[in-house]
Amino acid sequence: MTQDEVAKALSDVELVPCAEMALADARRLVDACLEADVPALVHREACAKPGCSPKFQVLVRPEDGVRVATLLQQRWMDSIQREGVLAQGAAPFVLPASEEGEPPCPACGTVAPLVEGACADCGLQLE
């Protein structure tokens, strides 16, 4: 997504913070969200406490919360695998499948049958 697309998607809608972190981390998360077609932006949270370090929030639409959670989970699992710290024989945490056995989409979290090999919601090609 481009910044213009983000501005258009987020204008006149309710935004909620989905994460609070240092500026560099917030920018990386927003970049990852935009790559996954999730409109997001960085917002500086005001803190009135003396000596408080700057905090930044990543803001998204409420309906995108599950997609961001899935994205954060995938980034976390990628870092665990990259660092080799997953205990041998341990199963990584994954979002539960639906009652029909459909796994959640790794991009948006939608739990539904694929449509021509792609996620029914976001269109991510999975097969």
Side-chain angles (χ1 to χ4, degrees), residues 5-116:
E5 291 171 329
V6 170
K8 185 177 179 180
L10 298 181
S11 67
D12 299 325
V13 297
E14 176 188 7
L15 297 177
V16 295
C18 67
E20 184 175 283
M21 54 193 62
L23 179 58
D25 294 329
R27 286 184 176 164
R28 281 192 289 272
L29 178 55
V30 166
D31 289 343
C33 287
L34 299 182
E35 287 177 25
D37 289 328
V38 176
L41 55 88
V42 175
H43 171 73
R44 180 163 187 202
E45 181 185 36
C47 181
K49 297 176 188 172
C52 186
S53 62
K55 296 176 186 170
F56 297 86
Q57 295 177 329
V58 176
L59 302 178
V60 298
R61 300 175 296 195
E63 61 267 23
D64 289 329
V66 172
R67 294 177 70 187
V68 175
T70 303
L71 180 64
L72 285 168
Q73 179 187 19
Q74 186 60 51
R75 291 167 54 97
W76 177 69
M77 288 306 301
D78 291 346
S79 71
I80 287 175
Q81 290 173 348
R82 186 174 49 251
E83 297 295 324
V85 294
L86 185 62
Q88 214 164 16
F93 172 78
V94 294
L95 293 173
S98 71
E99 291 178 6
E100 295 81 29
E102 296 292 336
C105 172
C108 70
T110 297
V111 180
L114 299 179
V115 176
E116 296 180 10

